[in-house]
Amino acid sequence: MTELHVRHPPSAPTAAGAMGRALVGGLIMAVALGVGNGLGPVLADITGAGGLAARLIAAAIVTVVAVPFVLRLSHSRTVGFGSPGASLRAFLTGVGVTAAGAVLVLGAGTAMGLLVWQQLDLVTLVGFLVTNTAVAFLLEALPEETTLRGYTWTSLRGRFGPALAVLGTTAVFMLVPGTSTLVTAGMARLAGDDPGHIGIAPEGQHPVHYLILLAIFSLTLIAARAALGHAPLWAAIGTHLTVLTANRIVLQGEDRDTGVTVEQASGDAVLLVPLYLVVVTIAFLTFRRVTRRHTPGGARLTPRHRPRVTDAAAHAAGRRQGGSS
């Protein structure tokens, strides 16, 4: 009779190990973004690409560098991907909840006179939605969520409670923009170009205001990622993409040729963005509470307490079911 050996589940990761992996997630994103922004224009010049094609080259580089790297470090389902059906439902949930929150708050701001909609060109708007979705998906939404709300979040959540995981993921997220500008500058110098702006915030934006908005945005994305049980990362991707689209239409419509011109009639109008992000965050937290209350079996196990089945144990179980002795 064959002796069956069952391996015990590995011990929980150390705090230092979890934090190290969390920082690796942020570093992957910063490097990918820096390489894309630095190398993209060079490749566009070499190939003669311009306009949308040039933007897509830079965006594609970011995704190609970031996403496969993470998937070599962790399984796709571990970071939050799932089956095609579950992914589509999660993505549409992220888009729908976020769009509803944005419409509610921005609509209220319009009714209060904080926003004045002056021009609408539907053909230009549709064109913007198509091109912006393609570029923003590859440049920001997919790679950032995979590295940060995917790898960084799960690394921290596997060792710490939700509060520390939220704080840690947000802190790493806030380090990425500034770090990426250093990588971009290095790539530009290697190519003989101007290194451009280096800083923790985009050129022209107040650093403190930018970081506060980034922190609120991070909380919204984490809430979206935690709201669903199946393919949850796609909810965060849908949320990320919708926020970028809404902000660019309302705040940068004329500069980005969105087909929409919106005048901010008051300085208080800028508060509408963090306000709708808070509303969306609350909506996702409520969604999570309601859906999990009606989930058979009650509360779910967190990654830290979920039993892990090793390949050897799974193989042994299969042999038992097959009648091996």
Side-chain angles (χ1 to χ4, degrees):
M1 185 174 185
T2 303
E3 184 179 358
L4 184 64
H5 297 279
V6 179
R7 294 172 59 185
H8 295 287
S11 59
T14 64
M19 289 187 289
R21 286 192 293 274
L23 287 172
V24 166
L27 182 61
I28 292 172
M29 184 60 214
V31 170
L33 189 59
V35 170
N37 288 333
L39 189 59
V42 176
L43 292 180
D45 288 341
I46 294 174
T47 59
L52 177 60
R55 294 164 60 201
L56 284 172
I57 288 174
I61 291 173
V62 178
T63 286
V64 168
V65 171
V67 176
F69 205 126
V70 168
L71 296 183
R72 287 183 64 87
L73 297 176
S74 183
H75 193 277
S76 62
R77 291 185 183 272
T78 301
V79 297
F81 290 113
S83 67
S87 298
L88 179 59
R89 288 191 294 272
F91 179 78
L92 293 178
T93 299
V95 171
V97 172
T98 307
V103 169
L104 177 66
V105 173
L106 297 177
T110 300
M112 295 169 60
L114 298 178
L115 299 175
V116 180
W117 300 73
Q118 297 179 327
Q119 177 183 336
L120 175 60
D121 183 336
L122 284 177
V123 175
T124 304
L125 176 59
V126 171
F128 165 76
L129 291 176
V130 172
T131 58
N132 177 75
T133 297
V135 174
F137 179 79
L138 294 172
L139 181 67
E140 296 152 299
L142 177 60
E144 282 190 13
E145 296 316 305
T146 303
T147 54
L148 297 169
R149 262 65 58 177
Y151 189 70
T152 292
W153 165 259
T154 54
S155 296
L156 292 173
R157 194 66 184 92
R159 177 63 178 83
F160 303 107
L164 287 178
V166 167
L167 291 175
T169 303
T170 299
V172 173
F173 183 41
M174 295 169 70
L175 291 173
V176 168
T179 306
S180 71
T181 62
L182 294 174
V183 180
T184 300
M187 295 295 298
R189 287 189 181 277
L190 289 175
D193 292 337
D194 180 7
H197 172 73
I198 298 176
I200 60 175
E203 191 171 6
Q205 293 196 34
H206 193 286
V208 175
H209 297 167
Y210 176 74
L211 291 178
I212 291 174
L213 182 60
L214 208 62
I216 297 172
F217 189 26
S218 175
L219 297 179
T220 303
L221 294 169
I222 293 171
R225 193 241 187 273
L228 279 73
H230 300 287
L233 194 63
W234 280 103
I237 292 171
T239 296
H240 198 140
L241 195 58
T242 306
V243 169
L244 293 178
T245 302
N247 289 357
R248 287 166 183 174
I249 290 174
V250 175
L251 302 179
Q252 305 170 342
E254 192 171 358
D255 294 337
R256 289 184 175 268
D257 194 25
T258 64
V260 180
T261 301
V262 183
E263 177 188 353
Q264 299 179 38
S266 168
D268 294 336
V270 296
L271 298 176
L272 293 174
V273 172
L275 179 58
Y276 91 69
L277 289 177
V278 170
V279 169
V280 171
T281 302
I282 294 173
F284 277 122
L285 293 176
T286 303
F287 183 91
R288 180 179 186 274
R289 180 178 294 273
V290 171
T291 54
R292 297 202 174 190
R293 182 180 299 167
H294 293 86
T295 299
R300 294 179 160 186
L301 293 174
T302 65
R304 183 177 178 182
H305 300 96
R306 186 180 296 123
R308 180 176 175 181
V309 180
T310 64
D311 293 339
H315 178 66
R319 291 186 60 187
R320 288 200 306 273
Q321 292 174 358
S324 299
S325 60

